[in-house]
């Protein structure tokens, strides 16, 4: 099996599961045991300061005084599994001892320590915070790809951390030299 870990999945236009419509998912794990990923282009209606406050990760006065860039950081809807659990994709300049190196110099940490570092320092140079994740049973993702449910897109640090959230779906398609208009929901068969 060829692992897709460290790559992106892009939902096809006719994705039957509306939870994944127009989703771009970064795969943090893919093996014979299944797959796990985080949606990186759908924001929740909350900001990073809301999470800090809810988890009591700092004095409310300290949180209020944080720069807007930190307070207003987007919180991604990472997926329908473990919706109350936070996951941070980040550059390798942060390591808590519970940090998992995914691929392409991208790490995953799911501890309160990384949230505190993102807020109060020393923060990873690049980071994306998501609540929840996506999971697939053994063979499930391969079946969905074979049924034309997903496109695979090679890793791009720019897509993950720098492209504005609302442009990530179109940018991911663009990496394959296709657009929504040219994307057919039907798989080609010879």
């Amino acid at each position: 099996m060829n692992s897709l870990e460290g790559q992106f999945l892009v939902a096809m236009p006719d994705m039957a599961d509306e939870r994944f419509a127009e989703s771009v998912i970064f795969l943090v794990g893919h093996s014979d045991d299944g797959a796990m990923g985080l949606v990186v282009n759908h924001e929740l209606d909350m900001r990073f300061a809301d999470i800090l406050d809810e988890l009591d990760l700092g004095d409310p006065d300290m949180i209020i005084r944080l720069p807007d860039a930190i307070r207003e950081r987007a919180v991604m809807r990472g997926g329908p599994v473990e919706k109350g659990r936070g996951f941070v994709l980040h550059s390798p300049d942060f390591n808590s001892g519970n940090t998992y190196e995914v691929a392409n110099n991208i790490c995953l940490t799911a501890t309160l320590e990384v949230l505190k570092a993102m807020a109060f320092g020393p923060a990873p140079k690049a980071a994306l915070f998501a609540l929840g994740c996506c999971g697939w049973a053994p063979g499930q993702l391969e079946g969905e790809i074979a049924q034309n449910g997903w496109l695979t897109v090679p890793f791009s640090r720019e897509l993950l951390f720098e492209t504005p959230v609302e442009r990530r779906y179109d940018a991911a398609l663009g990496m394959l030299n296709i657009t929504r208009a040219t994307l057919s929901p039907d798989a080609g068969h010879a």
Side-chain angles (χ1 to χ4, degrees):
M1 179 190 100
N2 290 333
S3 176
L4 297 174
E5 184 172 295
Q7 295 185 44
F8 295 99
L9 294 176
V10 179
M12 290 294 285
D14 63 341
M15 172 59 71
D17 190 335
E18 63 187 40
R19 297 174 300 175
F20 298 111
E22 296 186 359
S23 287
V24 177
I25 298 172
F26 179 72
L27 284 175
V28 297
H30 183 224
S31 69
D32 290 335
D33 297 327
M36 177 185 163
L38 299 172
V39 176
V40 298
N41 71 319
H42 293 303
E43 291 184 28
L44 289 169
D45 190 23
M46 61 175 45
R47 290 291 172 237
F48 191 60
D50 300 326
I51 299 297
L52 296 173
D53 189 45
E54 188 174 312
L55 295 174
D56 201 21
L57 290 181
D59 181 298
D61 290 337
M62 284 175 47
I63 294 171
I64 289 170
R65 287 193 297 267
L66 287 171
D68 283 348
I70 295 172
R71 288 179 42 73
E72 297 301 317
R73 179 188 289 266
V75 177
M76 296 293 119
R77 179 177 43 83
V81 179
E82 297 189 64
K83 291 191 270 190
R85 186 167 180 203
F87 299 90
V88 178
L89 292 172
H90 59 87
S91 50
D93 51 344
F94 175 87
N95 189 324
S96 73
N98 291 313
T99 297
Y100 169 73
E101 188 173 334
V102 178
N104 305 306
N105 281 324
I106 301 301
C107 297
L108 174 71
T109 304
T111 64
L112 295 178
E113 187 179 354
V114 71
L115 298 180
K116 288 179 187 174
M118 288 170 64
F120 307 111
K125 193 170 284 187
L128 178 145
F129 176 63
L131 282 177
C133 64
C134 306
W136 290 268
Q140 182 182 2
L141 178 58
E142 294 80 359
E144 291 177 13
I145 291 171
Q147 293 172 0
N148 206 36
W150 300 100
L151 294 170
T152 58
V153 175
F155 175 74
S156 161
R157 182 179 186 84
E158 181 180 338
L159 180 63
L160 183 59
F161 293 123
E162 298 165 26
T163 303
V165 173
E166 66 278 2
R167 293 193 50 243
R168 288 180 183 163
Y169 185 77
D170 290 322
L173 292 177
M175 291 174 64
L176 298 175
N177 295 315
I178 55 179
T179 65
R180 292 174 196 247
T182 60
L183 189 59
S184 170
D186 300 317
H189 297 284

